[in-house]
Each structure stands twice: as structure tokens, then as C-alpha cells.
């Protein structure tokens, strides 16, 4: 049972444009959501998070939007840079489950220069 | 501040053997979690430790075990290795316990190959 889904396996964007990565979840108990970036042969790097009491969180070029009614979140990267090319994972957790994160399958982002 | 350190980076073992992986969390972090990453299953939660106590466990067989020491360092052990245990094993630490939202910070993993 995939509780966190990233339906786009890959995304290609031109440098300087906006990258939008999407994530859907099914478990209404989830109350904390995170995005990670992963390069080959490295562990995931934390990017940005959002609590379920908010609908938007911004950190520099990265903004995460949460739509609880639709059980959907998205990560916007503006402007996209070639160094952003990586695999992006969406993850979710619920206080009842401790620090256990449930990950999506990931989306490969390629930023073309 | 040093990040999460995992040793060794690479490991090759034979079926039936056992293996121990080590993780040193970020200084001050008391929660340590372990994940398995495979191409087919993605990132799967193994277990979480907080103050030397296992707080949460994923759906893995009993061959997978772990522990946490008083200095928050953690080890995980896999006994009677199977070919399907070949994976990247990731350790992550967190500043807070489960009662506070706090992101996990991952190490670079141990790549285990079982032949």
C-alpha cells in the first residue's frame, strides 16, 4: 500500500524556469511533510518541510505548498539551476508513528542549461 | 558540525553470513533511524531508536536488529544474509523525539552487496 505517491518518475526543466514536483498521500494521519534531494552515492539531503497546520513554507528558492483537502503537496524551485538536477523524494510522518518517514518513489529532475 | 557518519561505506558479504553496520549521529541528536534503499522498493523504514530504546519498527524480519548506545551511536545487524538484503542502508538522526517535528538528517549510507 503506497501511502505516499510521486506519480512523475522524471521531469526536465530549462535553467532559470520553475520546477514543480508533486506528491500525493492517502493517510490522513500524516501531519508533517518533507522534501529531500538525493545525488548518486550520497544520502538524501533535507530541503524543506511543512507542518499540517500550514499551507505554505518558503526557504530561498524552494517553496512547499500543502493542500490538505486534496492530500497533495508540491515543491516549487525558482529559478531552477543545473545543480538542482537530482532525485527528489517526498516524505511524510505522523506524530503517532514517531519519527518514521514514509517516502515516495522519487522524481528525477533534470535542469538543462 | 559533522554530519551523520556511517561505516563502512561498502561491504561485500556471502549468503548466510552476518553483518554489523555503524552510525554516528550528528552531535546532540538523540534519535537515530535506519532505512533500506533498493531499486525495487525505494526507501523503507527499518527501525528508530531514541535514548537507547527502540521506539518504532518497520516490516522487516527478525534477522534485522539494531541497538543504540548511551552516546547515541547506533548499530544495526543483519544475520543469515540473503541475496535480497543487497541494498544501500541509510542511517538518519534527528534532534528531537517523536513529539516534536524535526527533520531527519541522513548519512551517505553503507552499500551492502551479498553474493
Amino acid at each position: 500500500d503506497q501511502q505516499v505517491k510521486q506519480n512523475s518518475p522524471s521531469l526536465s526543466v530549462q535553467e532559470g524556469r520553475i520546477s514543480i514536483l508533486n506528491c500525493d498521500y492517502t493517510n490522513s494521519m500524516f501531519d508533517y511533510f518533507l522534501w529531500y534531494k538525493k545525488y548518486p552515492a550520497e544520502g538524501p539531503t533535507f530541503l524543506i518541510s511543512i507542518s499540517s497546520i500550514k499551507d505554505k513554507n518558503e526557504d530561498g528558492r524552494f517553496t512547499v505548498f500543502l493542500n490538505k483537502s486534496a492530500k497533495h503537496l508540491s515543491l516549487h524551485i525558482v529559478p531552477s539551476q543545473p545543480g538542482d538536477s537530482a532525485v527528489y523524494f517526498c516524505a511524510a510522518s505522523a506524530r503517532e508513528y514517531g519519527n518514521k518517514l514514509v517516502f515516495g518513489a522519487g522524481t528525477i529532475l533534470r535542469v538543462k542549461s | 558540525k559533522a554530519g551523520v557518519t556511517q561505516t563502512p561505506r561498502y561491504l561485500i558479504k556471502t549468503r548466510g553470513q552476518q553483518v554489523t553496520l555503524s552510525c554516528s549521529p550528528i552531535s546532540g541528536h538523540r534519535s537515530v533511524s535506519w532505512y533500506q534503499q533498493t531499486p525495487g522498493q525505494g526507501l523503507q523504514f527499518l527501525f528508530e531508536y531514541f535514548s537507547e530504546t527502540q521506539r518504532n519498527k518497520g516490516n522487516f524480519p527478525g534477522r534485522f536488529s539494531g541497538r543504540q548506545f548511551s552516546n547515541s551511536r547506533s548499530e544495526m545487524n543483519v544475520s543469515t544474509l540473503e541475496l535480497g538484503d543487497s541494498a544501500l542502508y541509510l542511517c538518519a538522526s534527528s534532534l528531537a523525539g517523536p513529539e516534536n517535528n524535526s527533520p531527519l538528517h541522513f548519512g551517505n549510507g553503507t552499500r551492502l552487496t551479498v553474493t
Side-chain angles (χ1 to χ4, degrees):
Chain A
D1 173 29
Q2 268 193 300
Q3 298 184 68
V4 178
K5 296 179 185 178
Q6 293 177 256
N7 291 319
S8 298
S10 65
L11 175 68
S12 187
V13 171
Q14 197 66 36
E15 180 180 6
R17 306 295 289 268
I18 184 172
S19 294
I20 300 176
L21 297 112
N22 294 304
C23 178
D24 297 296
Y25 62 95
T26 57
N27 191 337
S28 57
M29 299 287 285
F30 288 145
D31 55 14
Y32 185 52
F33 304 89
L34 309 91
W35 284 94
Y36 285 85
K37 177 172 75 173
K38 188 179 185 301
Y39 294 118
E42 293 184 12
T45 301
F46 169 70
L47 278 176
I48 192 168
S49 63
I50 187 166
S51 163
S52 60
I53 62 173
K54 295 185 174 182
D55 54 19
K56 177 183 174 181
N57 189 25
E58 197 170 349
D59 184 2
R61 297 186 297 114
F62 302 93
T63 303
V64 56
F65 296 92
L66 175 62
N67 182 333
K68 286 189 292 294
S69 60
K71 293 191 176 68
H72 176 84
L73 67 156
S74 61
L75 174 68
H76 292 207
I77 306 174
V78 183
S80 301
Q81 300 172 353
D84 295 330
S85 298
V87 180
Y88 287 78
F89 291 96
C90 166
S93 69
R95 192 156 299 186
E96 286 76 6
Y97 308 149
N99 275 333
K100 172 185 174 181
L101 290 182
V102 180
F103 281 86
T107 297
I108 300 170
L109 173 65
R110 295 188 187 91
V111 180
K112 300 175 290 187
S113 55
Chain B
K1 202 175 196 181
V4 176
T5 304
Q6 291 187 247
T7 56
R9 282 300 306 274
Y10 302 93
L11 208 46
I12 300 175
K13 289 286 188 179
T14 305
R15 269 182 303 175
Q17 288 186 313
Q18 73 161 16
V19 67
T20 299
L21 312 181
S22 182
C23 172
S24 293
I26 293 172
S27 178
H29 285 196
R30 295 166 60 196
S31 170
V32 174
S33 302
W34 289 87
Y35 288 78
Q36 181 197 63
Q37 185 181 23
T38 59
Q41 298 297 318
L43 278 148
Q44 300 287 316
F45 173 76
L46 280 156
F47 25 67
E48 180 209 354
Y49 289 87
F50 183 78
S51 294
E52 301 179 66
T53 301
Q54 185 180 92
R55 296 193 68 116
N56 214 337
K57 191 175 190 305
N59 297 323
F60 280 80
R63 300 185 296 107
F64 292 81
S65 63
R67 58 178 176 167
Q68 186 181 32
F69 302 95
S70 58
N71 62 359
S72 293
R73 194 176 68 83
S74 177
E75 288 180 347
M76 71 163 273
N77 185 277
V78 188
S79 62
T80 319
L81 284 166
E82 301 177 359
L83 294 178
D85 297 333
S86 295
L88 180 67
Y89 290 87
L90 292 159
C91 171
S93 72
S94 174
L95 181 62
E99 68 280 3
N100 295 303
N101 287 332
S102 182
L104 298 188
H105 297 272
F106 286 84
N108 284 330
T110 294
R111 171 71 63 184
L112 172 65
T113 302
V114 182
T115 62

